[in-house]
């Protein structure tokens, strides 16, 4: 005879609780709740660390050599911005790329500032930027369409460079899809607000 006590008898409510936890974990609710609890402590620490790094690395790097204009003639850079701040941040980059390589095609999902700088707009995502859970849920159909359209574009006419600007909720996924299809990706973001 062994000294191991018998397993306690489970009740249906025990199984329901385990199933509920699995459902919550599947939908990512548990990590989100944990982040909401931990982030007020960790975010200020990460920001302070980043500020120290930026002060330490304050020396600007040398400008890279100018690109070979002939090598970039006829190539395409696809830009994805999702909000007005990204549009303002990307417009000077688009303008500079177009000035350095006049034969370069810059197109994508951008805003009015990037269009004024020389980007051809396939969609104006800046007008569709949303904040808040309810607004995101209401616009899920639009964003679903953007993702499907991007996958089709990456398949049918892949760009030479896929430039994403801030807006990580969408852009991280789109860049991952582009990279899987062999497209070079660059992400432009602001570290200081």
């Amino acid at each position: 005879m062994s000294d191991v006590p018998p397993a306690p008898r489970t009740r249906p409510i025990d199984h329901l609780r385990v199933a509920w936890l699995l459902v919550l974990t599947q939908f990512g609710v548990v990590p989100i709740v944990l982040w909401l609890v931990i982030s007020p402590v960790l975010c200020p620490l990460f920001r302070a660390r980043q500020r120290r790094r930026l002060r330490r690395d304050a020396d600007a790097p040398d400008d890279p050599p100018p690109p070979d204009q002939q090598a970039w003639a006829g190539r395409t850079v696809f830009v994805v911005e999702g909000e007005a701040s990204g549009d303002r941040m990307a417009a000077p980059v688009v303008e500079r790329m177009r000035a350095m390589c006049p034969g370069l095609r810059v197109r994508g999902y951008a805003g009015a500032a990037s269009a004024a700088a020389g980007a051809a707009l396939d969609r104006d995502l800046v007008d569709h930027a949303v904040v808040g859970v309810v607004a995101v849920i209401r616009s899920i159909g639009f964003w679903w369409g953007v993702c499907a359209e991007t996958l089709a574009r990456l398949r049918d006419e892949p760009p030479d460079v896929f430039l994403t600007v801030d807006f990580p909720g969408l852009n991280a996924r789109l860049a991952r899809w582009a990279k899987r299809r062999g497209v070079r990706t660059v992400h432009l973001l602001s570290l200081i607000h």
Side-chain angles (χ1 to χ4, degrees):
M1 192 152 217
S2 69
D3 293 335
V4 177
R9 187 177 170 143
T10 59
R11 294 177 287 168
I13 191 72
D14 297 328
H15 293 282
L16 285 174
R17 285 181 177 151
V18 171
W20 181 244
L21 180 63
L22 289 174
V23 167
L24 291 178
T25 303
Q26 278 301 102
F27 289 108
V29 172
V30 172
I32 290 170
V33 170
L34 286 174
W35 178 249
L36 289 174
V37 171
I38 295 171
S39 67
V41 174
L42 291 181
C43 284
L45 295 174
F46 288 142
R47 284 189 194 115
R49 189 173 101 194
Q50 189 62 31
R51 276 191 223 97
R52 285 192 303 272
R53 280 185 180 169
L54 288 172
R55 273 188 243 118
R56 182 182 56 214
D57 301 334
D59 295 334
D62 295 335
D63 283 339
D68 181 10
Q69 292 181 2
Q70 296 304 324
W72 281 95
R75 294 195 179 204
T76 303
V77 174
F78 196 89
V79 181
V80 181
E81 311 157 2
E83 53 201 1
S85 64
D87 189 33
R88 287 189 306 270
M89 187 172 20
V93 174
V94 169
E95 187 175 2
R96 182 78 171 145
M97 285 190 301
R98 300 271 300 135
M100 291 179 79
C101 301
L104 179 70
R105 289 188 312 255
V106 180
R107 59 182 285 217
Y109 306 146
S114 292
L121 297 187
D122 291 316
R123 278 184 182 253
D124 188 346
L125 288 190
V126 174
D127 290 342
H128 296 281
V130 292
V131 176
V133 175
V134 174
V136 169
I137 291 171
R138 284 185 183 155
S139 66
I140 197 80
F142 172 79
W143 294 106
W144 187 288
V146 167
C147 290
E149 184 180 313
T150 304
L151 283 171
R153 286 183 189 282
L154 289 171
R155 180 189 63 239
D156 296 342
E157 46 185 299
D160 296 290
V161 177
F162 194 79
L163 172 64
T164 56
V165 183
D166 224 352
F167 208 56
L170 174 69
N171 282 338
R173 288 167 182 81
L174 296 181
R176 192 168 34 247
W177 293 342
K179 192 176 278 194
R180 284 184 189 153
R181 285 156 181 78
V183 177
R184 282 188 242 169
T185 61
V186 177
H187 189 72
L188 177 65
L189 68 138
S190 172
L191 294 175
I192 301 172
H193 294 285

